[in-house]
Amino acid sequence: MNNVTKSVGLFWLMSALISMNVSATNKQVNDYKVTATSPITLNDPHADNTQAVVYIWPKPQNITALTTTEQTLKSNEYWQEVTGEQLSAGVAIYTTSTEAFIRIAPKTHYSEGEALQSEPLNARLLKIRPDSPQSHFQAIEQTVSQQEMSLAGFNDGSIALTTNAQQGVGRLVMQSQQGLAANATYLMHVKEKYSPHQLQVIADNTFQAHGQGFKLVGRLAGEMIDEAHTALNLISPEGVKTPADFQKGRVVLPNDLENVGAYKGFYELEMTTEKVLAGLTVKRSIKVPFAHVIKTAQLESMSPKIDQANKISMPVKILHSGRYAVTATLAQHSSTGQIEYLQTIEVAQWLNEDGIFELPFTIDNQRLQTGPVFLANVKLVDQSRMMLLEHHERF
C-alpha cells in the first residue's frame, strides 16, 4: 500500500471516529420552567461578592425559539468491552456496510486488587474473517499501528482496522494471535460511516427528580428498538457507570442524583441495542447527555413596570444560594403594530435570599413614549450550577 493511499485511509478513519452529532429538535414548547426541588449547596468563590454586574448588549437580541426540552441524536456505530480471552477465541463484529472502521484500545484491568494496564495490541496479529470455519478470506483492508494512531492524536495505545467486505456484509469474527492475558480488557469501537442503518434517539435533555422519569425513544433503521435487547448505563460526570432500567420508552433514574446542573459536566445515558433486520444483526451504541436540574430560584412578577429612570425591577425568590442572572430584551409595539426590540440587558448577582434584579435600560424617554413597552425573551439562569431555570417569550 503506497503512502498516499495509507494517508487517505487514515484520514477517513479519523473522520469515522468523530463522536456523534447532536441536533436539537425544532419543536416549540411552552414557557420552560424547572419544577422539581432538592437541597443543594456549593462552594463558590463569588459567594462573598453580592454586587450586581450589568451588561448591555451592543445590539438588541430578537426573540429566540423557546428552549426545547428534547434532543435528537443519531448513531452509526457501537462499542463494547472485550477481554483478552475473548479476542484470542474470536469476537463477533456486526457489519451492515461494505466498509467498517474498528478501533481497539487497551484498558485498565484488575488482578488481585492491583490495577494493571492491558497489553497494547499488535495490529499485524489481528485477523478478521467471515463467520465461517471454512472461510480463509481476510476481511482486513488496512491496519493502523499504535505508533500511527499516536501521531494522529490517539495516545491511548489504540490500533485501528478497516474492513473489506468484498464477499458481502454480516457477522465477521476478529481474532488475535498475540497470546493475550485472559483478563486483559479492551474497548472495541466499530463505526460504519456508510451504513444505511442508523440508530435515532429522541430524549429529554434534562431530568427532574420525582417527575415522570426520563423520556428516551429509540428507532433502529426506522423500527422501534427492542427493549429486551437493549442495555442502558447511567454515567455520572465523574465517570462512574451504573446500570439503568428501561421501561416503555422511559428510563427509571434515581431521585437522589448527587450532581446538579452542568458545572461538573453532564450525566450520560449509554445505550447499546441490537436488532435483526433483513437477516442482518444491526448493533448500535449511543450516549445521551443530560443535566439533572432542580428549582433553585424563580421570578416572582409576571408584569414588571418600567419606572421614570427607565429601570425595571424584577423580584426573585431564592431557594438555594448562588449566582443568578436575568437576561431580558425591552420591546415595544410600534404604531403599525409591529414589535421592535430596543435593548437587551443582563444582570448577574450572588443572592443568598430573596432579592430584586434591577435592569437599568438606557433607552431615550421620547422613544418610550411612542408606544407600550414590555419584556421579551426573558431568561433566568443559575450561573453557579449552570442551569437554565426559566425562559419566557414574553414577560
mmCIF file of all heavy atoms in Angstrom, residues 330-365:
data_model
loop_
_atom_site.group_PDB
_atom_site.id
_atom_site.type_symbol
_atom_site.label_atom_id
_atom_site.label_comp_id
_atom_site.label_asym_id
_atom_site.label_seq_id
_atom_site.Cartn_x
_atom_site.Cartn_y
_atom_site.Cartn_z
ATOM 1 N N LEU A 330 -35.934 44.659 26.128
ATOM 2 C CA LEU A 330 -37.021 45.635 26.167
ATOM 3 C C LEU A 330 -37.584 45.784 24.758
ATOM 4 O O LEU A 330 -36.846 46.046 23.804
ATOM 5 C CB LEU A 330 -36.515 46.980 26.685
ATOM 6 C CG LEU A 330 -37.588 48.037 26.988
ATOM 7 C CD1 LEU A 330 -38.475 47.588 28.135
ATOM 8 C CD2 LEU A 330 -36.940 49.381 27.302
ATOM 9 N N ALA A 331 -38.888 45.577 24.620
ATOM 10 C CA ALA A 331 -39.530 45.620 23.306
ATOM 11 C C ALA A 331 -40.718 46.564 23.341
ATOM 12 O O ALA A 331 -41.224 46.931 24.416
ATOM 13 C CB ALA A 331 -39.974 44.214 22.891
ATOM 14 N N GLN A 332 -41.160 46.946 22.159
ATOM 15 C CA GLN A 332 -42.230 47.946 22.053
ATOM 16 C C GLN A 332 -43.078 47.667 20.815
ATOM 17 O O GLN A 332 -42.569 47.231 19.776
ATOM 18 C CB GLN A 332 -41.606 49.344 21.958
ATOM 19 C CG GLN A 332 -42.587 50.490 21.922
ATOM 20 C CD GLN A 332 -41.860 51.826 21.828
ATOM 21 O OE1 GLN A 332 -41.051 52.041 20.946
ATOM 22 N NE2 GLN A 332 -42.159 52.721 22.774
ATOM 23 N N HIS A 333 -44.371 47.913 20.976
ATOM 24 C CA HIS A 333 -45.267 47.843 19.821
ATOM 25 C C HIS A 333 -45.247 49.183 19.096
ATOM 26 O O HIS A 333 -45.505 50.230 19.693
ATOM 27 C CB HIS A 333 -46.692 47.520 20.263
ATOM 28 C CG HIS A 333 -46.876 46.092 20.676
ATOM 29 N ND1 HIS A 333 -46.905 45.049 19.782
ATOM 30 C CD2 HIS A 333 -47.034 45.536 21.908
ATOM 31 C CE1 HIS A 333 -47.080 43.919 20.434
ATOM 32 N NE2 HIS A 333 -47.156 44.176 21.726
ATOM 33 N N SER A 334 -44.921 49.156 17.815
ATOM 34 C CA SER A 334 -44.894 50.394 17.031
ATOM 35 C C SER A 334 -46.311 50.811 16.667
ATOM 36 O O SER A 334 -47.288 50.105 16.933
ATOM 37 C CB SER A 334 -44.068 50.182 15.765
ATOM 38 O OG SER A 334 -44.735 49.270 14.889
ATOM 39 N N SER A 335 -46.429 51.974 16.031
ATOM 40 C CA SER A 335 -47.740 52.491 15.633
ATOM 41 C C SER A 335 -48.417 51.599 14.603
ATOM 42 O O SER A 335 -49.635 51.609 14.455
ATOM 43 C CB SER A 335 -47.579 53.903 15.066
ATOM 44 O OG SER A 335 -46.672 53.903 13.961
ATOM 45 N N THR A 336 -47.617 50.785 13.903
ATOM 46 C CA THR A 336 -48.184 49.874 12.905
ATOM 47 C C THR A 336 -48.469 48.495 13.488
ATOM 48 O O THR A 336 -48.894 47.588 12.766
ATOM 49 C CB THR A 336 -47.219 49.727 11.724
ATOM 50 O OG1 THR A 336 -45.972 49.183 12.190
ATOM 51 C CG2 THR A 336 -46.971 51.079 11.063
ATOM 52 N N GLY A 337 -48.202 48.323 14.792
ATOM 53 C CA GLY A 337 -48.467 47.045 15.430
ATOM 54 C C GLY A 337 -47.312 46.078 15.408
ATOM 55 O O GLY A 337 -47.427 44.969 15.940
ATOM 56 N N GLN A 338 -46.203 46.479 14.787
ATOM 57 C CA GLN A 338 -45.036 45.609 14.740
ATOM 58 C C GLN A 338 -44.262 45.679 16.061
ATOM 59 O O GLN A 338 -44.295 46.689 16.758
ATOM 60 C CB GLN A 338 -44.112 46.017 13.590
ATOM 61 C CG GLN A 338 -44.756 45.930 12.215
ATOM 62 C CD GLN A 338 -45.113 44.508 11.841
ATOM 63 O OE1 GLN A 338 -44.323 43.590 12.039
ATOM 64 N NE2 GLN A 338 -46.310 44.322 11.289
ATOM 65 N N ILE A 339 -43.570 44.581 16.407
ATOM 66 C CA ILE A 339 -42.737 44.564 17.604
ATOM 67 C C ILE A 339 -41.331 45.016 17.244
ATOM 68 O O ILE A 339 -40.719 44.512 16.298
ATOM 69 C CB ILE A 339 -42.689 43.158 18.233
ATOM 70 C CG1 ILE A 339 -44.080 42.741 18.711
ATOM 71 C CG2 ILE A 339 -41.705 43.128 19.404
ATOM 72 C CD1 ILE A 339 -44.115 41.344 19.302
ATOM 73 N N GLU A 340 -40.842 46.003 17.985
ATOM 74 C CA GLU A 340 -39.476 46.481 17.806
ATOM 75 C C GLU A 340 -38.690 46.186 19.077
ATOM 76 O O GLU A 340 -39.150 46.476 20.184
ATOM 77 C CB GLU A 340 -39.474 47.987 17.512
ATOM 78 C CG GLU A 340 -40.185 48.362 16.219
ATOM 79 C CD GLU A 340 -40.138 49.859 15.942
ATOM 80 O OE1 GLU A 340 -39.529 50.579 16.768
ATOM 81 O OE2 GLU A 340 -40.704 50.297 14.937
ATOM 82 N N TYR A 341 -37.507 45.625 18.904
ATOM 83 C CA TYR A 341 -36.668 45.266 20.043
ATOM 84 C C TYR A 341 -35.675 46.398 20.279
ATOM 85 O O TYR A 341 -34.866 46.731 19.407
ATOM 86 C CB TYR A 341 -35.968 43.938 19.772
ATOM 87 C CG TYR A 341 -36.961 42.833 19.489
ATOM 88 C CD1 TYR A 341 -37.238 42.432 18.180
ATOM 89 C CD2 TYR A 341 -37.649 42.215 20.525
ATOM 90 C CE1 TYR A 341 -38.164 41.438 17.913
ATOM 91 C CE2 TYR A 341 -38.577 41.222 20.278
ATOM 92 C CZ TYR A 341 -38.827 40.841 18.977
ATOM 93 O OH TYR A 341 -39.762 39.857 18.730
ATOM 94 N N LEU A 342 -35.716 46.953 21.469
ATOM 95 C CA LEU A 342 -34.984 48.180 21.748
ATOM 96 C C LEU A 342 -33.615 47.944 22.372
ATOM 97 O O LEU A 342 -32.622 48.542 21.946
ATOM 98 C CB LEU A 342 -35.817 49.085 22.672
ATOM 99 C CG LEU A 342 -37.256 49.383 22.198
ATOM 100 C CD1 LEU A 342 -37.967 50.256 23.206
ATOM 101 C CD2 LEU A 342 -37.235 50.033 20.816
ATOM 102 N N GLN A 343 -33.553 47.106 23.376
ATOM 103 C CA GLN A 343 -32.286 46.915 24.080
ATOM 104 C C GLN A 343 -32.327 45.621 24.893
ATOM 105 O O GLN A 343 -33.366 45.258 25.462
ATOM 106 C CB GLN A 343 -32.016 48.098 25.014
ATOM 107 C CG GLN A 343 -30.607 48.106 25.608
ATOM 108 C CD GLN A 343 -30.354 49.381 26.397
ATOM 109 O OE1 GLN A 343 -30.970 49.614 27.433
ATOM 110 N NE2 GLN A 343 -29.446 50.225 25.894
ATOM 111 N N THR A 344 -31.183 44.923 24.905
ATOM 112 C CA THR A 344 -31.058 43.694 25.695
ATOM 113 C C THR A 344 -30.059 43.928 26.813
ATOM 114 O O THR A 344 -28.983 44.491 26.591
ATOM 115 C CB THR A 344 -30.591 42.517 24.823
ATOM 116 O OG1 THR A 344 -31.553 42.300 23.775
ATOM 117 C CG2 THR A 344 -30.450 41.247 25.642
ATOM 118 N N ILE A 345 -30.425 43.467 27.993
ATOM 119 C CA ILE A 345 -29.588 43.688 29.169
ATOM 120 C C ILE A 345 -29.495 42.402 29.972
ATOM 121 O O ILE A 345 -30.427 41.589 29.969
ATOM 122 C CB ILE A 345 -30.171 44.848 30.030
ATOM 123 C CG1 ILE A 345 -29.098 45.477 30.903
ATOM 124 C CG2 ILE A 345 -31.331 44.378 30.872
ATOM 125 C CD1 ILE A 345 -29.543 46.789 31.530
ATOM 126 N N GLU A 346 -28.355 42.196 30.620
ATOM 127 C CA GLU A 346 -28.162 41.044 31.501
ATOM 128 C C GLU A 346 -27.618 41.534 32.832
ATOM 129 O O GLU A 346 -26.672 42.329 32.879
ATOM 130 C CB GLU A 346 -27.198 40.034 30.881
ATOM 131 C CG GLU A 346 -26.981 38.804 31.753
ATOM 132 C CD GLU A 346 -26.095 37.756 31.101
ATOM 133 O OE1 GLU A 346 -25.738 37.939 29.922
ATOM 134 O OE2 GLU A 346 -25.758 36.759 31.781
ATOM 135 N N VAL A 347 -28.211 41.058 33.906
ATOM 136 C CA VAL A 347 -27.780 41.415 35.258
ATOM 137 C C VAL A 347 -27.495 40.124 36.000
ATOM 138 O O VAL A 347 -28.341 39.223 36.057
ATOM 139 C CB VAL A 347 -28.848 42.240 36.001
ATOM 140 C CG1 VAL A 347 -28.375 42.560 37.417
ATOM 141 C CG2 VAL A 347 -29.158 43.524 35.244
ATOM 142 N N ALA A 348 -26.288 40.038 36.581
ATOM 143 C CA ALA A 348 -25.886 38.855 37.339
ATOM 144 C C ALA A 348 -25.511 39.270 38.756
ATOM 145 O O ALA A 348 -24.909 40.332 38.970
ATOM 146 C CB ALA A 348 -24.701 38.168 36.667
ATOM 147 N N GLN A 349 -25.850 38.394 39.718
ATOM 148 C CA GLN A 349 -25.615 38.763 41.117
ATOM 149 C C GLN A 349 -25.662 37.512 41.997
ATOM 150 O O GLN A 349 -26.449 36.597 41.751
ATOM 151 C CB GLN A 349 -26.687 39.766 41.575
ATOM 152 C CG GLN A 349 -26.482 40.351 42.940
ATOM 153 C CD GLN A 349 -27.518 41.442 43.229
ATOM 154 O OE1 GLN A 349 -28.409 41.709 42.416
ATOM 155 N NE2 GLN A 349 -27.390 42.070 44.388
ATOM 156 N N TRP A 350 -24.814 37.490 43.031
ATOM 157 C CA TRP A 350 -24.893 36.421 44.021
ATOM 158 C C TRP A 350 -26.006 36.760 45.000
ATOM 159 O O TRP A 350 -26.061 37.859 45.533
ATOM 160 C CB TRP A 350 -23.575 36.267 44.778
ATOM 161 C CG TRP A 350 -23.629 35.146 45.782
ATOM 162 C CD1 TRP A 350 -24.143 35.204 47.042
ATOM 163 C CD2 TRP A 350 -23.207 33.809 45.587
ATOM 164 N NE1 TRP A 350 -24.070 33.978 47.647
ATOM 165 C CE2 TRP A 350 -23.491 33.099 46.783
ATOM 166 C CE3 TRP A 350 -22.611 33.126 44.527
ATOM 167 C CZ2 TRP A 350 -23.198 31.752 46.933
ATOM 168 C CZ3 TRP A 350 -22.321 31.782 44.694
ATOM 169 C CH2 TRP A 350 -22.608 31.105 45.883
ATOM 170 N N LEU A 351 -26.885 35.801 45.241
ATOM 171 C CA LEU A 351 -28.011 36.021 46.146
ATOM 172 C C LEU A 351 -28.115 34.869 47.136
ATOM 173 O O LEU A 351 -28.113 33.700 46.743
ATOM 174 C CB LEU A 351 -29.322 36.136 45.351
ATOM 175 C CG LEU A 351 -29.455 37.356 44.431
ATOM 176 C CD1 LEU A 351 -30.679 37.228 43.547
ATOM 177 C CD2 LEU A 351 -29.519 38.640 45.247
ATOM 178 N N ASN A 352 -28.213 35.222 48.406
ATOM 179 C CA ASN A 352 -28.410 34.242 49.465
ATOM 180 C C ASN A 352 -29.861 34.142 49.894
ATOM 181 O O ASN A 352 -30.254 33.181 50.551
ATOM 182 C CB ASN A 352 -27.546 34.584 50.676
ATOM 183 C CG ASN A 352 -26.057 34.472 50.377
ATOM 184 O OD1 ASN A 352 -25.605 33.454 49.842
ATOM 185 N ND2 ASN A 352 -25.289 35.496 50.695
ATOM 186 N N GLU A 353 -30.634 35.144 49.546
ATOM 187 C CA GLU A 353 -32.044 35.194 49.936
ATOM 188 C C GLU A 353 -32.821 35.945 48.869
ATOM 189 O O GLU A 353 -32.238 36.446 47.895
ATOM 190 C CB GLU A 353 -32.194 35.882 51.292
ATOM 191 C CG GLU A 353 -31.599 37.287 51.317
ATOM 192 C CD GLU A 353 -31.583 37.897 52.701
ATOM 193 O OE1 GLU A 353 -31.704 37.153 53.695
ATOM 194 O OE2 GLU A 353 -31.450 39.141 52.786
ATOM 195 N N ASP A 354 -34.157 36.005 49.047
ATOM 196 C CA ASP A 354 -34.995 36.684 48.063
ATOM 197 C C ASP A 354 -34.469 38.086 47.797
ATOM 198 O O ASP A 354 -34.026 38.793 48.718
ATOM 199 C CB ASP A 354 -36.435 36.760 48.566
ATOM 200 C CG ASP A 354 -37.052 35.376 48.737
ATOM 201 O OD1 ASP A 354 -36.387 34.394 48.369
ATOM 202 O OD2 ASP A 354 -38.182 35.287 49.241
ATOM 203 N N GLY A 355 -34.515 38.495 46.542
ATOM 204 C CA GLY A 355 -33.994 39.814 46.189
ATOM 205 C C GLY A 355 -34.689 40.381 44.975
ATOM 206 O O GLY A 355 -35.737 39.887 44.534
ATOM 207 N N ILE A 356 -34.096 41.432 44.423
ATOM 208 C CA ILE A 356 -34.657 42.121 43.258
ATOM 209 C C ILE A 356 -33.544 42.366 42.245
ATOM 210 O O ILE A 356 -32.486 42.900 42.587
ATOM 211 C CB ILE A 356 -35.302 43.463 43.659
ATOM 212 C CG1 ILE A 356 -36.495 43.224 44.590
ATOM 213 C CG2 ILE A 356 -35.756 44.229 42.413
ATOM 214 C CD1 ILE A 356 -37.141 44.509 45.096
ATOM 215 N N PHE A 357 -33.797 41.960 41.027
ATOM 216 C CA PHE A 357 -32.894 42.300 39.929
ATOM 217 C C PHE A 357 -33.313 43.658 39.372
ATOM 218 O O PHE A 357 -34.472 43.845 38.992
ATOM 219 C CB PHE A 357 -32.950 41.244 38.820
ATOM 220 C CG PHE A 357 -32.139 40.019 39.097
ATOM 221 C CD1 PHE A 357 -32.753 38.829 39.447
ATOM 222 C CD2 PHE A 357 -30.759 40.053 38.999
ATOM 223 C CE1 PHE A 357 -32.015 37.690 39.705
ATOM 224 C CE2 PHE A 357 -30.007 38.910 39.258
ATOM 225 C CZ PHE A 357 -30.632 37.735 39.613
ATOM 226 N N GLU A 358 -32.373 44.583 39.311
ATOM 227 C CA GLU A 358 -32.620 45.902 38.737
ATOM 228 C C GLU A 358 -32.042 45.941 37.335
ATOM 229 O O GLU A 358 -30.836 45.784 37.142
ATOM 230 C CB GLU A 358 -31.983 46.994 39.601
ATOM 231 C CG GLU A 358 -32.379 46.962 41.070
ATOM 232 C CD GLU A 358 -33.774 47.535 41.301
ATOM 233 O OE1 GLU A 358 -34.404 47.970 40.313
ATOM 234 O OE2 GLU A 358 -34.226 47.535 42.459
ATOM 235 N N LEU A 359 -32.918 46.143 36.338
ATOM 236 C CA LEU A 359 -32.491 46.195 34.940
ATOM 237 C C LEU A 359 -32.488 47.644 34.479
ATOM 238 O O LEU A 359 -33.531 48.216 34.141
ATOM 239 C CB LEU A 359 -33.441 45.367 34.063
ATOM 240 C CG LEU A 359 -33.237 43.852 34.014
ATOM 241 C CD1 LEU A 359 -33.375 43.218 35.384
ATOM 242 C CD2 LEU A 359 -34.192 43.199 33.030
ATOM 243 N N PRO A 360 -31.314 48.297 34.442
ATOM 244 C CA PRO A 360 -31.232 49.723 34.105
ATOM 245 C C PRO A 360 -31.122 49.984 32.602
ATOM 246 O O PRO A 360 -30.026 50.174 32.059
ATOM 247 C CB PRO A 360 -29.965 50.166 34.837
ATOM 248 C CG PRO A 360 -29.086 48.953 34.812
ATOM 249 C CD PRO A 360 -30.004 47.762 34.868
ATOM 250 N N PHE A 361 -32.253 49.989 31.919
ATOM 251 C CA PHE A 361 -32.231 50.254 30.477
ATOM 252 C C PHE A 361 -31.851 51.707 30.217
ATOM 253 O O PHE A 361 -32.123 52.601 31.025
ATOM 254 C CB PHE A 361 -33.593 49.937 29.865
ATOM 255 C CG PHE A 361 -33.903 48.462 29.844
ATOM 256 C CD1 PHE A 361 -34.714 47.882 30.825
ATOM 257 C CD2 PHE A 361 -33.370 47.639 28.866
ATOM 258 C CE1 PHE A 361 -34.993 46.531 30.811
ATOM 259 C CE2 PHE A 361 -33.640 46.279 28.840
ATOM 260 C CZ PHE A 361 -34.448 45.721 29.825
ATOM 261 N N THR A 362 -31.222 51.942 29.069
ATOM 262 C CA THR A 362 -30.728 53.290 28.734
ATOM 263 C C THR A 362 -31.395 53.822 27.470
ATOM 264 O O THR A 362 -30.763 54.516 26.675
ATOM 265 C CB THR A 362 -29.202 53.258 28.555
ATOM 266 O OG1 THR A 362 -28.861 52.338 27.498
ATOM 267 C CG2 THR A 362 -28.500 52.840 29.832
ATOM 268 N N ILE A 363 -32.668 53.536 27.300
ATOM 269 C CA ILE A 363 -33.407 53.988 26.116
ATOM 270 C C ILE A 363 -33.904 55.412 26.349
ATOM 271 O O ILE A 363 -34.329 55.785 27.446
ATOM 272 C CB ILE A 363 -34.592 53.041 25.829
ATOM 273 C CG1 ILE A 363 -34.070 51.622 25.581
ATOM 274 C CG2 ILE A 363 -35.396 53.514 24.627
ATOM 275 C CD1 ILE A 363 -33.157 51.496 24.408
ATOM 276 N N ASP A 364 -33.870 56.218 25.283
ATOM 277 C CA ASP A 364 -34.328 57.607 25.358
ATOM 278 C C ASP A 364 -35.812 57.654 25.739
ATOM 279 O O ASP A 364 -36.633 56.893 25.209
ATOM 280 C CB ASP A 364 -34.113 58.287 23.998
ATOM 281 C CG ASP A 364 -34.493 59.755 24.042
ATOM 282 O OD1 ASP A 364 -33.640 60.556 24.460
ATOM 283 O OD2 ASP A 364 -35.634 60.071 23.676
ATOM 284 N N ASN A 365 -36.150 58.560 26.662
ATOM 285 C CA ASN A 365 -37.536 58.666 27.149
ATOM 286 C C ASN A 365 -38.519 58.969 26.030
ATOM 287 O O ASN A 365 -39.662 58.497 26.043
ATOM 288 C CB ASN A 365 -37.634 59.739 28.239
ATOM 289 C CG ASN A 365 -37.074 59.251 29.561
ATOM 290 O OD1 ASN A 365 -37.130 58.067 29.854
ATOM 291 N ND2 ASN A 365 -36.530 60.166 30.353
#
